Amino acid sequence: MQNVKSEWCTLKNIVDHDSTEAWFFNVPLYQRLYVWGDEQISTLLNDIANACERQDAQFFLGGILVVETTTEEERRAKRRTFDLIDGQQRFTTLFLLSQSPGWRKELSTFGRVERNGGFTSRLNFSVRPDVNRYFEAILQAPQNALATVPDTQCMQNVRQVMTGFREKRALDEAGIGKISRYIYENVRFVRTEVPRRMDLNKLFEVINARGVQLQHHEILKARLLHAIPAEERQRYAALWDACADMKGFVDQTLRQGRDKLSGSALATLYTQQKLACAPSVRDLLARQEALQETDDSLSGYRSLAQIADADHEKTMQKEQVEGDDRWADSIIGFPLFLLHVLRIWLYENSRKDLDRILDRDLTKIFEEFFFSSETPQQQEQDVKGFVDLVWTIRVLWDATIIKWTEAEIRSESRPDRIHMLCKTSVSGERTTRNLTRSINYQENAELSLLQNMLYHTQENTTQYWMTPYLYYVYKNQNSPSDYYLKYLRHLDNYLLGEETDEPLVKRTRSFMKHPWRTGQLTNFADYLRGKHGVHFRHYWFYKLDFVLWHSAQRSDAQEEWKNFRFTAKNSVEHISPQQPQPTDYNIVSPDNRDDFGNLVFLSGGINSKYSNRPFNEKKIKFENIKKHGRIESLKMDLIYQNAHWNDEVMERHRESMIKSLENYYREDI
């Protein structure tokens, strides 16, 4: 009987076989298509880049499961073929990365095998010729390969994210080369090969039945609560569990949990501005525990108030079961949220800051920075104070940080997920009161959009701006939202616009100490007059669109501008193409095609619709999309308000954009 074989594997290990029997991989027909998105790719690349900077000996990517299907003809041709049974999403990601501009110099040999003077793709999809043709196209000319069918659009989008990673991380040629070599030699996965005659149906049952691994924050919870006396532990556990569910709102989760706090009682705390006060909520939990202990001795008697409150709770829970409580979702996960709270707790307790934010090392970070108390009494005090702070910041988070929400887009039947702040109000009367959430698209629109901009311009695995902003909200609770907006504008301008090489983790700590500190702003005007092309920092495209939206609110802005929202973008588009068609007379000179005035920043799907088309055709396409209530870029909208496009018009546009930025900064200085 053949045995299952497992071994550590790197990209280099696979390529090394090419000199004898080259390895090829096939995605069977029963496997789903590639579905990874922008956020998964960005998270993976950021994690790998951070590991490279720390000089970690290895980065574990997981495992792949294969079965060899090599034919005799293939063996005579000195090649072996393996079907990817599990792990094809990760493997396909590595393949696409190896053939993306900026990464190919060090990684291209993984994605392609040289044979008879040509190149053959190392990866193929069974009975999917369009995908295989796309793979061959990116082997030959990666910058010109286009996704022509839906099966390849997702792949094209993530390749654009991979290509844009260099600019977003501000990496030079040496920096991207260093990370590429790290991926080639140090990113490891477990390659498990199963016998060809194994019953794959049974194997899939085992794969699909694998349980969800215990989350790091659940392990951390057990460690923390162990320091709290047993008689108090459940109350702190209830606070922690409510905060850990980042979907919806924390008070709703607490009301639906095993403790089932009264919605009326929580609404009362809110009206008294005590909902963020953890001791007040723990008092409610203690009284709930006492009621549960004496419930059997009450012989079923309830007051009219209790009956009314209970009936109201049943009505609310019925609505929530139908999904009404899940229309708002957090923009980050609980581990990352915990690290931002930990930074605040460390600062409040005059302890040193984290060296970096890395949510995959959650337990390790807490071990180093938190569990340092010498006595059980001090550790108990630390844990109680930290859990209370987690609750307080989570309540403030729900009130002052954007969430993913669903909104109906004009002329479209499907809902669209956008970032918005949610408004809290109290409904009902007396014992039937409850907290409800709603969205007013005009109220707090600027604060929502500014956070929306920051979310998309910063690494989704860190979002360093959140720590000083949350700390400012924490120290200025119950202030008007305009107060928070003014501070966040200041924080954005000086945290991300300052002329300094100091890392963000240190700068954000300094803003916690001096929230209104200033510094030497970068000379963005000179920078934006440069010819950096696709290497312009993506931040400035996002920032400019926010500034344009901000300025338009003072006038009678068109409806499409009022409803503008940022989306994930990864592709810099040339208005006048780098290779214009002979029939295109609306062009700028070759020396000006990489000018900021000739560029816009788009999502991969939108960019593919424009390609190298002439100015007038692009303008018509843009206006058709705009009719459906969507504007991808306000800068782009201003460009296509011009009847013609040439050097003179482009330069006027660029200078107008710089002037808008200068006026915006002048408001806060």
Side-chain angles (χ1 to χ4, degrees):
M1 180 180 176
Q2 291 177 295
N3 295 322
V4 174
K5 297 181 294 185
S6 292
E7 62 181 1
W8 283 107
C9 197
T10 65
L11 304 193
K12 183 179 184 300
N13 295 149
I14 292 175
V15 174
D16 286 345
H17 287 280
D18 290 351
S19 59
T20 53
E21 289 183 313
W23 286 8
F24 292 84
F25 296 85
N26 178 66
V27 179
L29 179 61
Y30 52 75
Q31 289 279 22
R32 63 177 178 168
L33 277 167
Y34 185 74
V35 295
W36 272 25
D38 296 4
E39 187 168 344
Q40 288 164 295
I41 298 300
S42 297
T43 298
L44 175 63
L45 292 180
N46 278 313
D47 285 347
I48 293 175
N50 291 334
C52 177
E53 290 176 1
R54 297 193 305 271
Q55 298 182 339
D56 290 353
Q58 66 180 25
F59 182 94
F60 179 55
L61 192 57
I64 63 170
L65 194 63
V66 300
V67 59
E68 186 167 5
T69 59
T70 306
T71 64
E72 285 301 320
E73 182 180 356
E74 288 174 328
R75 202 172 293 280
R76 286 194 296 270
K78 295 184 177 181
R79 62 181 286 167
R80 297 175 67 185
T81 302
F82 302 90
D83 272 0
L84 283 163
I85 299 174
D86 192 35
Q88 71 100 344
Q89 301 287 325
R90 294 186 295 273
F91 197 87
T92 304
T93 297
L94 293 173
F95 170 82
L96 294 171
L97 185 67
S98 74
Q99 303 306 311
S100 295
W103 302 93
R104 300 186 72 211
K105 185 175 181 181
E106 302 290 341
L107 298 177
S108 62
T109 53
F110 167 69
R112 62 188 190 185
V113 179
E114 187 173 2
R115 283 288 186 272
N116 303 320
F119 295 107
T120 301
S121 173
R122 193 182 298 277
L123 179 67
N124 284 283
F125 276 68
S126 290
V127 200
R128 296 194 189 274
D130 290 325
V131 174
N132 295 331
R133 280 193 290 270
Y134 177 69
F135 283 177
E136 292 298 331
I138 64 176
L139 293 186
Q140 305 303 326
Q143 293 184 342
N144 297 327
L146 294 176
T148 57
V149 296
D151 287 357
T152 58
Q153 186 61 63
C154 184
M155 297 177 179
Q156 179 80 353
N157 290 346
V158 301
R159 287 183 65 238
Q160 290 170 340
V161 176
M162 293 166 175
T163 303
F165 179 78
R166 174 177 173 177
E167 284 71 43
K168 192 166 185 178
R169 191 117 178 170
L171 295 168
D172 56 15
E173 195 75 26
I176 200 72
K178 180 180 178 182
I179 298 173
S180 299
R181 287 189 296 276
Y182 183 85
I183 293 172
Y184 187 68
E185 297 176 356
N186 299 86
V187 169
R188 305 174 75 187
F189 50 90
V190 175
R191 175 186 167 274
T192 300
E193 183 179 342
V194 299
R196 189 168 187 172
R197 295 179 181 178
M198 178 174 281
D199 187 337
L200 292 184
N201 288 326
K202 291 184 178 179
L203 183 60
F204 287 137
E205 287 179 12
V206 174
I207 293 172
N208 294 330
R210 287 181 299 192
V212 178
Q213 291 185 340
L214 195 64
Q215 297 292 315
H216 286 186
H217 65 80
E218 293 172 322
I219 299 172
L220 177 61
K221 169 192 169 183
R223 178 77 187 277
L224 289 167
L225 295 182
H226 183 71
I228 299 176
E231 62 271 16
E232 300 179 77
R233 193 172 296 158
Q234 178 53 37
R235 297 162 215 161
Y236 285 92
L239 294 182
W240 180 278
D241 291 342
C243 294
D245 185 355
M246 297 294 284
K247 293 181 179 294
F249 301 91
V250 69
D251 57 280
Q252 290 178 341
T253 305
L254 190 59
R255 206 173 69 229
Q256 296 170 23
R258 74 182 235 182
D259 297 281
K260 288 185 170 51
L261 282 185
S262 159
S264 179
L266 291 171
T268 298
L269 285 184
Y270 175 79
T271 58
Q272 296 172 346
Q273 297 187 342
K274 292 182 179 179
L275 183 60
C277 178
S280 297
V281 181
R282 283 192 283 103
D283 284 345
L284 282 181
L285 289 166
R287 281 182 294 207
Q288 182 73 5
E289 289 176 13
L291 284 173
Q292 289 171 350
E293 290 173 0
T294 59
D295 196 40
D296 292 338
S297 66
L298 295 179
S299 303
Y301 172 78
R302 293 186 299 169
S303 68
L304 289 175
Q306 289 173 322
I307 293 172
D309 193 38
D311 290 343
H312 183 66
E313 287 294 307
K314 288 179 181 178
T315 301
M316 292 300 297
Q317 288 171 14
K318 181 177 183 296
E319 293 174 356
Q320 288 152 3
V321 168
E322 294 171 353
D324 289 348
D325 63 330
R326 298 296 174 177
W327 54 267
D329 196 1
S330 173
I331 58 175
I332 66 172
F334 189 53
L336 183 54
F337 173 80
L338 281 176
L339 291 176
H340 285 290
V341 178
L342 176 60
R343 293 191 68 202
I344 293 173
W345 186 88
L346 291 170
Y347 180 77
E348 284 281 275
N349 287 272
S350 302
R351 303 188 189 183
K352 71 170 186 173
D353 196 10
L354 307 184
D355 298 325
R356 69 184 67 86
I357 284 181
L358 193 63
D359 60 0
R360 63 185 294 163
D361 284 347
L362 183 69
T363 53
K364 181 180 177 182
I365 289 173
F366 268 83
E367 188 67 41
E368 179 182 356
F369 289 89
F370 190 84
F371 297 114
S372 58
S373 305
E374 296 182 358
T375 66
Q377 294 79 8
Q378 183 61 48
Q379 190 164 15
E380 177 188 340
Q381 180 180 330
D382 288 349
V383 170
K384 287 181 174 179
F386 179 72
V387 176
D388 280 354
L389 183 63
V390 169
W391 170 266
T392 298
I393 300 298
R394 180 58 208 278
V395 172
L396 299 175
W397 171 277
D398 284 348
T400 62
I401 294 285
I402 54 173
K403 290 181 179 289
W404 284 110
T405 63
E406 290 188 355
E408 293 294 332
I409 297 300
R410 179 162 53 87
S411 302
E412 297 185 19
S413 58
R414 66 175 181 83
D416 193 34
R417 279 164 57 83
I418 63 173
H419 287 135
M420 285 298 297
L421 282 168
C422 300
K423 181 180 179 180
T424 304
S425 58
V426 177
S427 63
E429 297 179 0
R430 294 185 179 179
T431 57
T432 62
R433 287 188 302 180
N434 224 312
L435 293 178
T436 59
R437 292 339 191 278
S438 61
I439 295 177
N440 182 327
Y441 293 100
Q442 302 308 317
E443 189 175 350
N444 296 324
E446 184 165 358
L447 183 56
S448 294
L449 193 64
L450 180 53
Q451 291 185 27
N452 183 206
M453 185 269 285
L454 290 170
Y455 173 81
H456 282 299
T457 60
Q458 303 306 297
E459 291 184 25
N460 57 4
T461 56
T462 55
Q463 299 288 342
Y464 278 112
W465 64 273
M466 288 181 177
T467 313
Y469 175 70
L470 284 171
Y471 186 64
Y472 185 81
V473 172
Y474 171 67
K475 301 301 285 187
N476 297 274
Q477 296 181 40
N478 303 312
S479 296
S481 59
D482 288 349
Y483 204 57
Y484 301 143
L485 171 62
K486 182 178 180 181
Y487 177 67
L488 191 58
R489 285 182 55 179
H490 174 84
L491 182 66
D492 168 46
N493 287 343
Y494 284 97
L495 177 64
L496 302 175
E498 189 176 358
E499 190 69 45
T500 178
D501 294 326
E502 192 175 39
L504 276 173
V505 67
K506 288 187 176 181
R507 275 187 279 154
T508 49
R509 176 85 168 203
S510 68
F511 275 95
M512 294 169 72
K513 186 176 182 180
H514 302 293
W516 295 96
R517 64 171 285 264
T518 59
Q520 179 62 46
L521 292 173
T522 186
N523 191 335
F524 62 83
D526 285 353
Y527 175 73
L528 296 180
R529 291 188 179 107
K531 313 291 184 183
H532 306 298
V534 297
H535 299 298
F536 271 107
R537 279 183 60 198
H538 296 170
Y539 170 80
W540 289 108
F541 290 100
Y542 279 108
K543 177 68 172 261
L544 175 60
D545 270 354
F546 172 76
V547 168
L548 292 174
W549 181 93
H550 167 80
S551 301
Q553 303 315 299
R554 299 176 179 177
S555 58
D556 187 17
Q558 53 187 304
E559 193 68 21
E560 292 84 1
W561 276 49
K562 288 181 180 178
N563 296 330
F564 174 74
R565 293 293 178 271
F566 291 106
T567 57
K569 302 176 184 179
N570 48 45
S571 182
V572 175
E573 161 78 2
H574 290 75
I575 296 297
S576 178
Q578 293 174 297
Q579 297 177 342
Q581 298 181 13
T583 56
D584 189 1
Y585 299 103
N586 289 284
I587 59 175
V588 299
S589 59
D591 290 342
N592 281 333
R593 285 173 192 161
D594 281 337
D595 191 290
F596 184 75
N598 189 49
L599 304 172
V600 289
F601 194 41
L602 307 174
S603 62
I606 295 294
N607 187 26
S608 64
K609 294 180 180 180
Y610 292 98
S611 189
N612 285 340
R613 297 177 184 275
F615 176 84
N616 288 337
E617 287 188 29
K618 291 181 180 180
K619 180 177 179 178
I620 293 172
K621 282 186 172 294
F622 176 84
E623 290 173 346
N624 286 336
I625 294 174
K626 183 178 176 180
K627 288 178 182 177
H628 290 85
R630 288 179 177 271
I631 296 184
E632 180 82 359
S633 162
L634 300 184
K635 181 180 189 295
M636 195 177 190
D637 192 21
L638 292 176
I639 287 174
Y640 286 130
Q641 289 178 20
N642 292 290
H644 305 285
W645 193 248
N646 52 41
D647 288 293
E648 182 181 353
V649 177
M650 182 276 295
E651 289 175 1
R652 283 203 306 268
H653 168 73
R654 180 233 297 147
E655 290 305 307
S656 175
M657 298 301 95
I658 292 174
K659 186 69 173 178
S660 294
L661 284 166
E662 289 174 339
N663 290 339
Y664 176 82
Y665 275 94
R666 198 172 292 117
E667 290 180 22
D668 284 353
I669 296 175

